[in-house]
Amino acid sequence: MPVMWIFHDHCMLTLSRFRFGYSNLVIRVGILGTGGMGNTHARKYAAMADVELGVYDRDPERTKAIGGRENRASFPSIQALIEAVDVVDICLPTDLHVEAGLMAVAAGKPVFIEKPLGRTVAEAEKLVSAAAKANVSLMPGQVVRFFPEFANGHRIVKGGGVGLPAAARTRRGGGAPKGSDLWFMDHSRSGGVLLDLAIHDFDWLRWTLGEVKHLYSRSVAINNGSGPDYALTTLTFVSGAVAHVESTWMDPAGFRTAFEVAGSGGVIQFDSRDCPAIRSTAGKSEFPLAVTDDPFYLELRAFLDSVINHTPPPVTGEDGLAALRISLAAIESAKTGKLISL
């Protein structure tokens, strides 16, 4: 099938034109994968006046469906899309991330890639290294950093709002995701709850409390290799702080997130089921949240702005690699019953 890309005449400009001071140009963004995250990203890009969108999915019907809305173009292959766009957004299953990422990097295209960067540290390192050598921007989708509650929690802790951090607790999860061909439930592809879900909290905790020294994890279904799971992971940080991470794909009550950070100067808490803002016992009763800001929009906008302005992305490939290492160490700990050092 022929490639059809629908642009106004003024849109047929390559991203390199930004380097010469042009403004008000349109960025051609191509999404690989039109499942749950692909559709989420498409909706956010649709709200950006400077974005023209193209999509690819292995299922022609899904590609046609999303591509037919709001003048989105559809492409017959990954390579065709990469060649036609300025920026590549990868929303494929986890085990396909690195292969597509390397193709985009080889073409010199900035890459936004849904978390995790890859299924193994070795393949993720290959992608991060290739992007660095090619001087291509690479940003992993650690979107929790952009949720207002978690962004404000990070700011409060880093600003000394709880004094010296000593202990933290996070909770995330709900029912089990499925995905096309039930790929989420195949842990060899998704990594299960400790990789696909807990990586959000591992990243946020590392961002907020610093590097992890060692960890210990337990899981209900780690040795099944498939299906829903529930896991508890204890992280010890280089600073001496300790965090307890609860991750579940086995909660019939629905999705919930929560965090608590305690330190020498007080405690901050957030629970998505109980309150719309952070409560504090650190001497200040409340911290206003920008509840109208959509975290996925903020995340994608921040990446595009970094590409346009030739600045580092707000979440780097190294950040994504560090979060991946923590997740895979937690999987190793859960499987072996051993304390794992990082």
Side-chain angles (χ1 to χ4, degrees), residues 158-171:
K158 299 299 283 187
V162 300
L164 181 65
R169 182 184 299 272
T170 66
R171 195 273 186 197

Side-chain angles (χ1 to χ4, degrees), residues 279-296:
R279 296 192 303 265
S280 173
T281 60
K284 195 171 183 179
S285 61
E286 63 182 39
F287 296 87
L289 299 175
V291 296
T292 58
D293 287 343
D294 181 273
F296 291 97

Side-chain angles (χ1 to χ4, degrees), residues 15 18 44 50 53 70 104 195 212 251 264 287 299 310:
L15 193 60
F18 284 106
K44 307 315 168 186
D50 59 347
L53 190 62
E70 300 182 23
L195 179 55
V212 175
D251 187 348
S264 60
F287 296 87
E299 175 188 48
H310 306 290

Side-chain angles (χ1 to χ4, degrees), residues 141-148 150-151 172 200-201 203-204 207 299:
Q142 298 290 166
V143 71
V144 165
R145 296 191 186 202
F146 295 86
F147 275 77
F150 286 83
R172 180 175 307 277
H200 282 303
D201 294 303
D203 174 70
W204 184 79
W207 182 45
E299 175 188 48

Side-chain angles (χ1 to χ4, degrees), residues 225-257:
S226 63
D229 196 6
Y230 175 94
L232 295 172
T233 306
T234 300
L235 309 174
T236 300
F237 295 83
V238 172
S239 68
V242 175
H244 183 74
V245 179
E246 180 182 6
S247 314
T248 181
W249 278 348
M250 302 178 75
D251 187 348
F255 195 77
R256 172 190 171 207
T257 63

Side-chain angles (χ1 to χ4, degrees), residues 138-288:
L138 172 67
M139 177 171 162
Q142 298 290 166
V143 71
V144 165
R145 296 191 186 202
F146 295 86
F147 275 77
E149 302 86 357
F150 286 83
N152 276 275
H154 168 82
R155 176 182 58 79
I156 293 164
V157 173
K158 299 299 283 187
V162 300
L164 181 65
R169 182 184 299 272
T170 66
R171 195 273 186 197
R172 180 175 307 277
K178 300 298 190 295
S180 61
D181 299 329
L182 300 178
W183 75 268
F184 280 106
M185 295 295 91
D186 181 351
H187 297 184
S188 68
R189 302 191 68 193
S190 70
V193 74
L194 282 169
L195 179 55
D196 187 77
L197 186 68
I199 195 170
H200 282 303
D201 294 303
F202 295 152
D203 174 70
W204 184 79
L205 287 164
R206 174 183 172 269
W207 182 45
T208 304
L209 299 179
E211 299 299 331
V212 175
K213 183 179 181 180
H214 52 72
L215 61 78
Y216 180 77
S217 187
R218 298 290 288 172
S219 156
V220 171
I222 193 68
N223 293 316
N224 292 350
S226 63
D229 196 6
Y230 175 94
L232 295 172
T233 306
T234 300
L235 309 174
T236 300
F237 295 83
V238 172
S239 68
V242 175
H244 183 74
V245 179
E246 180 182 6
S247 314
T248 181
W249 278 348
M250 302 178 75
D251 187 348
F255 195 77
R256 172 190 171 207
T257 63
F259 71 79
E260 175 183 297
V261 182
S264 60
V267 179
I268 58 170
Q269 298 172 319
F270 167 75
D271 190 314
S272 62
R273 290 184 183 172
D274 295 339
C275 62
I278 297 172
R279 296 192 303 265
S280 173
T281 60
K284 195 171 183 179
S285 61
E286 63 182 39
F287 296 87

Side-chain angles (χ1 to χ4, degrees), residues 36-95:
M37 290 311 305
N39 272 277
T40 295
H41 288 194
R43 291 194 300 272
K44 307 315 168 186
Y45 287 126
M48 302 179 192
D50 59 347
V51 170
E52 293 278 1
L53 190 62
V55 297
Y56 165 78
D57 192 280
R58 65 175 187 173
D59 183 337
E61 292 305 313
R62 292 204 310 184
T63 301
K64 183 178 178 181
I66 193 172
R69 298 198 303 271
E70 300 182 23
N71 290 331
R72 296 169 189 161
S74 59
F75 290 85
S77 69
I78 291 176
Q79 190 61 50
L81 179 140
I82 290 173
E83 291 174 357
V85 302
D86 301 311
V87 172
V88 177
D89 183 326
I90 299 173
C91 295
L92 299 168
T94 297
D95 57 326

